[in-house]
Amino acid sequence: MNNRLKNLLSPLFIFFLVLLIINDFFMKPAFHNWFTGKLSDFCGLFIFPIFWSAIFPKQKIWVFISTAILFTFWKSEYASVIIQFITPYFSIGRTVDLSDLMALPMILLAWMYQKNDLQQAIGKSMGKALISRLSAYFVGVVAIFSFCATTQQKYIQSFDQPQYVLLKNPIIQDLSSHSEFEFYNRDSLLVIKINSLSISKPVRYDDYNKNLFLKNLDKDVLYDIADSASLVSPGKITILTVDTEEGIDSLRFNGGRLDGRFVRMKNGKPIIEGLYKMGFEDSTWIIRDTIGSDKVIKTFVNGETTSIKHYNHDKLKSSSKINTRSDTIFNTYIQLAILIVCMGGIVFWLYKNYLNTVPEHLKLKLLWKLLICFLAPLFVWLLYFGIRLLLMNYDQDIFETLATIIFIFIAIFPLMFIIVFWIKLRKEIDILLYCILFALACSTWATYVTLEAISK
């Protein structure tokens, strides 16, 4: 195998590559804190120059220098123009945070590490050159995937009911770049209408997730606009109206948060009526059709929608009950229990097959054994995909799907290798049973992780 490709099989390269993917697809959505944000930068700056040095070994020094320059530029505001130009064609996003530059020393560590002979250890122990080369290609593909996945745009949290915050003493400079906000200046006050927020991917798209971002909405908006405004002290009541494209909104603020009755008027007709409790929807909301006589009545408990009723001429057309976060947690426990019971049934079936056939086993040629080992992860993922759809818990994008396929292959291939060559299959149906068992195990783990995240 070419020596330059062995860099992709070095222990620390693979460690940081796996850590980067785990952080981006599991730790960030679960914790979305300062540590997980910085961890991606530290891991990425180690594997990125080593990867491109393997592709362009003669320009190694320039790869490392360029990595430092491009990362610094990428984390600055000057990259915004390029990102805005590329965004319509590619889904790219990044956070402007100069504190991320603390990860730059990882480039120096990568430079020193690639000169160390220990980086060749995995490559030398792989045996045949073909297997080594294929392994390097596989790791290279995973590395490219990780580079693309880590630059994905954040998810958007929108609001079904209008959301405002109130700030004081603003000195408005350049607020035109905040397309997700609408600004209304009222003497010493600044009313800000929030249409949406860029967030890390939530565990569940429900009102509980929305309420997490409503807790400190005024502080978060003040931080985002980086203006000289300040927060309004809690307890100070401010009542005012705002003329928007959707209608005239009557607002009541307690400090900087909506608190009390909200009314939106259009053409002299109230189209939205409801109550806020310190920024959270409360009690009953009425949303009327601006043209016809239809209306929707929503009921909220602790900011979460519990029921939605559709009326026409005051006649009930439909009614639906909405699960709150506590309902979702309970249902997830039920799903987890069902998956565990199913796994127990498959294990018992395999055990019976073993008892009924021992010491005989399924006779297979070497080629078929290898094909089973390589194809089993694909079947496991397909079954996993079906189970998650059945449980209504599948909402992965293309990058998360690819990450799941990679993890399933890494986990299932060695397990199937042990089963086929060491434990040995007893009946033909055992192949299917093992695939179902592993798919159930993956679904159980994913459901458990989801349960842990939504239970916090």
Side-chain angles (χ1 to χ4, degrees):
M1 181 178 67
N2 194 318
N3 285 333
R4 66 180 186 177
L5 293 181
K6 289 184 179 180
N7 294 338
L8 304 183
L9 298 178
S10 60
L12 269 186
F13 182 88
I14 293 178
F15 170 78
F16 280 115
L17 175 59
V18 173
L19 183 59
L20 175 63
I21 297 177
I22 292 175
N23 185 61
D24 283 347
F25 289 97
F26 297 99
M27 295 174 65
K28 276 187 177 180
F31 304 106
H32 49 80
N33 54 24
W34 179 90
F35 175 77
T36 56
K38 296 294 182 286
L39 184 58
S40 290
D41 296 325
F42 277 84
C43 293
L45 285 181
F46 183 87
I47 66 175
F48 189 86
I50 292 179
F51 172 82
W52 289 110
S53 294
I55 305 300
F56 305 106
K58 294 182 179 180
Q59 287 77 36
K60 186 180 300 183
I61 182 66
W62 290 110
V63 166
F64 278 80
I65 294 175
S66 300
T67 299
I69 296 174
L70 289 175
F71 181 77
T72 304
F73 175 75
W74 180 255
K75 290 297 180 178
S76 71
E77 296 182 357
Y78 300 106
S80 299
V81 177
I82 297 177
I83 293 174
Q84 290 175 3
F85 176 78
I86 296 176
T87 298
Y89 311 100
F90 299 97
S91 180
I92 294 179
R94 67 90 169 82
T95 302
V96 178
D97 188 354
L98 294 181
S99 66
D100 291 341
L101 299 182
M102 69 171 64
L104 284 173
M106 291 298 291
I107 299 176
L108 179 60
L109 176 63
W111 173 264
M112 297 171 62
Y113 175 73
Q114 70 164 353
K115 292 181 173 298
N116 194 320
D117 290 338
L118 290 177
Q119 67 170 327
Q120 308 290 345
I122 293 181
K124 287 181 178 178
S125 64
M126 292 297 261
K128 294 182 179 180
L130 178 60
I131 297 178
S132 232
R133 191 179 299 111
L134 291 176
S135 300
Y137 291 154
F138 175 76
V139 172
V141 170
V142 174
I144 294 175
F145 162 75
S146 69
F147 300 149
C148 296
T150 197
T151 59
Q152 285 298 287
Q153 287 185 330
K154 290 188 175 182
Y155 292 81
I156 302 298
Q157 174 67 64
S158 57
F159 302 101
D160 293 332
Q161 285 66 242
Q163 271 296 339
Y164 289 87
V165 297
L166 185 67
L167 303 175
K168 65 179 181 179
N169 303 322
I171 299 178
I172 302 177
Q173 297 176 356
D174 180 20
L175 301 177
S176 59
S177 60
H178 299 277
S179 58
E180 69 275 25
F181 300 147
E182 296 177 22
F183 300 93
Y184 303 92
N185 199 6
R186 295 291 186 274
D187 297 326
S188 62
L189 299 174
L190 180 64
V191 183
I192 304 175
K193 182 174 181 289
I194 298 94
N195 297 318
S196 61
L197 290 173
S198 295
I199 62 173
S200 56
K201 185 178 181 180
V203 180
R204 280 285 187 274
Y205 289 99
D206 56 13
D207 283 347
Y208 182 86
N209 171 74
K210 174 203 65 180
N211 292 342
L212 289 178
F213 292 93
L214 289 179
K215 287 183 178 179
N216 298 303
L217 187 60
D218 51 347
K219 297 178 183 177
D220 293 337
V221 170
L222 179 60
Y223 175 81
D224 285 343
I225 66 175
D227 193 61
S228 61
S230 56
L231 299 174
V232 180
S233 302
K236 179 176 177 55
I237 305 301
T238 305
I239 300 175
L240 46 80
T241 59
V242 174
D243 190 356
T244 71
E245 293 182 359
E246 295 87 0
I248 300 175
D249 293 348
S250 298
L251 312 174
R252 182 184 187 275
F253 290 96
N254 182 343
R257 307 303 303 275
L258 288 171
D259 188 63
R261 189 166 182 261
F262 172 91
V263 180
R264 172 172 288 174
M265 302 288 294
K266 191 167 187 178
N267 299 325
K269 173 185 175 181
I271 58 173
I272 300 180
E273 296 179 83
L275 289 173
Y276 280 104
K277 183 181 290 185
M278 293 308 295
F280 300 98
E281 299 95 332
D282 189 49
S283 189
T284 301
W285 279 69
I286 303 174
I287 299 95
R288 296 182 175 88
D289 191 344
T290 56
I291 301 177
S293 55
D294 289 352
K295 67 178 179 181
V296 176
I297 296 181
K298 293 183 177 182
T299 303
F300 291 88
V301 175
N302 297 324
E304 294 186 75
T305 308
T306 57
S307 69
I308 300 177
K309 297 180 179 180
H310 294 261
Y311 290 86
N312 179 262
H313 291 291
D314 294 327
K315 181 180 179 180
L316 181 65
K317 293 172 57 181
S318 65
S319 177
S320 58
K321 182 181 180 299
I322 310 299
N323 286 338
T324 63
R325 181 53 70 93
S326 58
D327 296 326
T328 301
I329 292 173
F330 176 79
N331 294 338
T332 306
Y333 270 113
I334 298 298
Q335 292 176 347
L336 189 61
I338 292 173
L339 290 171
I340 293 174
V341 170
C342 290
M343 287 181 61
I346 297 295
V347 171
F348 179 72
W349 193 344
L350 287 167
Y351 180 66
K352 283 189 62 178
N353 287 347
Y354 177 82
L355 292 180
N356 293 336
T357 57
V358 70
E360 297 295 327
H361 60 83
L362 189 63
K363 306 294 185 181
L364 293 172
K365 293 183 179 181
L366 178 61
L367 177 61
W368 282 108
K369 290 181 179 180
L370 292 175
L371 281 175
I372 290 173
C373 294
F374 276 99
L375 294 180
L378 176 60
F379 286 106
V380 170
W381 176 80
L382 289 173
L383 290 167
Y384 165 83
F385 177 75
I387 293 171
R388 299 294 285 173
L389 284 179
L390 184 63
L391 298 177
M392 296 181 292
N393 284 333
Y394 194 87
D395 60 348
Q396 295 184 339
D397 58 27
I398 182 62
F399 284 95
E400 291 171 308
T401 300
L402 290 174
T404 302
I405 293 174
I406 291 171
F407 280 120
I408 286 179
F409 183 86
I410 293 173
I412 301 305
F413 176 79
L415 288 175
M416 287 303 300
F417 195 88
I418 293 172
I419 290 168
V420 171
F421 287 94
W422 182 42
I423 298 177
K424 298 182 180 178
L425 299 166
R426 302 296 162 174
K427 294 183 177 181
E428 290 182 357
I429 196 173
D430 285 1
I431 301 172
L432 176 61
L433 292 178
Y434 276 114
C435 288
I436 295 175
L437 177 63
F438 292 142
L440 287 169
C442 293
S443 300
T444 301
W445 171 252
T447 303
Y448 172 76
V449 171
T450 299
L451 182 61
E452 282 289 297
I454 64 179
S455 298
K456 292 180 180 179

